[in-house]
Amino acid sequence: MNQAIIEAKKAYVAEIAEKMKNSESTVVVEYRGLTVAEMTELRRELRKEDVEFKVYKNALAQRAVESIGADGLKEALVGPNAIAFGKDATAPARVLAKFAKKHESLVLKSGIVEGKVVDVETIQKLSALPNKEGMISMFLGCLQSPIIKFACAVKAVAESKEGAAVPAAAE
């Protein structure tokens, strides 16, 4: 093989490995049977969530997986695969699982979440979670709930004492 080609492939493997390391989650899917229109729709949905979706040669992706020490993902890199890289840990799983429900041709295979190789069941569980902003709002709602309940209780006590004091003052 030509040395320039080998160097280009090494750079490509390094690029894939870097994307896998820098993303919060990486999901591998098989796209066999999807039409061009369906792939375009899927890419559009992923772009809305700031998820990068690429098709790589399996041999290069396998070398990238080996270089970052995620050998468990190697078995999933067989057949026509695409890889989704997300900055949010739940975004790729959520969008891909939702799309897979409508289109049976898209098959979730495996992934990496926060540096750990995960199986399809974990990806399905992640897909049920809201995005980062949704989780923060749920957390803030949990923090506000006791304060609101306490304020309502204090107000109810104040109103009941105020209501009891009015008839006594009228006498």
Side-chain angles (χ1 to χ4, degrees), residues 41-74:
E41 178 187 348
L42 175 60
R43 288 178 192 270
R44 191 175 298 125
E45 292 298 317
L46 289 166
R47 216 174 291 123
K48 287 179 188 175
E49 295 283 336
D50 199 24
V51 176
E52 184 178 355
F53 190 68
K54 293 267 188 170
V55 176
Y56 293 107
K57 288 187 174 259
N58 287 332
L60 298 178
Q62 287 173 352
R63 287 191 178 149
V65 164
E66 285 175 1
S67 72
I68 63 169
D71 293 329
L73 192 63
K74 202 171 179 183

Side-chain angles (χ1 to χ4, degrees), residues 106-147:
L106 185 73
V107 179
L108 300 173
K109 286 185 150 185
S110 187
I112 302 172
V113 178
E114 295 180 348
K116 297 176 187 156
V117 176
V118 296
D119 58 356
V120 178
E121 290 79 28
T122 307
I123 292 172
Q124 291 289 353
K125 289 177 186 174
L126 276 174
S127 70
L129 296 174
N131 62 3
K132 185 177 180 179
E133 289 80 24
M135 286 187 203
I136 290 172
S137 66
M138 287 172 62
F139 176 68
L140 291 175
C142 290
L143 290 177
Q144 280 184 331
S145 179
I147 296 169

